[in-house]
C-alpha cells in the first residue's frame, strides 16, 4: 500500500496546484478587466480547461479515498457476507465503467482530436492534451478499485 500513498500524495498535490493556478488565473482576469480595463483573452479558456482537469482528476482522487457519494440503504440492511459481495460487485462495475468509458473512450477522443489537429482558440494548445485527463483519470480509478478489491 506504499505505492497507493504515493499516488494519493502526488494526485492531491497536483489537484492543489491546479486549484491554485485557477485562483491566480481568475484573479488576473478580474484585475485585468476592472483595474486595467483590458481583459485577458486567454483566462476564460484556461480556467475552463483547469476546471475540467480538477473535476475529472478530483473524481479519481475521491474514488481512491472512498469519499464519493454512495447510497448505502441496501448494504446496511444486509449481513457482512452480503455487504462484502455487494462491495466487490460495485468495485467491479466501477472498474468496467472506468475502462470502457474513460480509458477506451477517452483514448479514442484524444486520438481523434490529435489526428484532426484541434487546438484551443486562445491558448493554441492541442485539445488532445486537455482531453488526456480522461484516460489518465480512468487508469487511476481502475488502480484504486483494484487495490480496494485486493483489500476486500
Amino acid at each position: 500500500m506504499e505505492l497507493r500513498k504515493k499516488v494519493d500524495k502526488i494526485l492531491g498535490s497536483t489537484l492543489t496546484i491546479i486549484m491554485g493556478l485557477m485562483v491566480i488565473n481568475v484573479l488576473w482576469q478580474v484585475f485585468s478587466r476592472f483595474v486595467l480595463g483590458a481583459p485577458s483573452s486567454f483566462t476564460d479558456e484556461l480556467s475552463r480547461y483547469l476546471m475540467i482537469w480538477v473535476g475529472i482528476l478530483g473524481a479519481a482522487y475521491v474514488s481512491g479515498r472512498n469519499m464519493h457519494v454512495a447510497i448505502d440503504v441496501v448494504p446496511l440492511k444486509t449481513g457482512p457476507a452480503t455487504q462484502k459481495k455487494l462491495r466487490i460487485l460495485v468495485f467491479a462495475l466501477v472498474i468496467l465503467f472506468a475502462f470502457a468509458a474513460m480509458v477506451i473512450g477517452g483514448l479514442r477522443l484524444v486520438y481523434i482530436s490529435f489526428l484532426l489537429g484541434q487546438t484551443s482558440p486562445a491558448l493554441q494548445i492541442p485539445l488532445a492534451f486537455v482531453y488526456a485527463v480522461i484516460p489518465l483519470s480512468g487508469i487511476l480509478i481502475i488502480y484504486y478499485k483494484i487495490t480496494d478489491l485486493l483489500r476486500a
Side-chain angles (χ1 to χ4, degrees), residues 121-139:
L123 295 170
Q124 292 298 306
I125 59 172
L127 287 180
F129 176 73
V130 176
Y131 300 145
V133 72
I134 299 169
L136 174 64
S137 183
I139 290 167

Side-chain angles (χ1 to χ4, degrees), residues 11-30:
L11 190 53
S13 298
T14 302
L15 287 167
T16 302
I17 290 168
I18 293 173
M19 283 296 293
L21 288 173
M22 275 179 55
V23 168
I24 291 168
N25 182 53
V26 171
L27 287 174
W28 174 251
Q29 170 66 7
V30 171

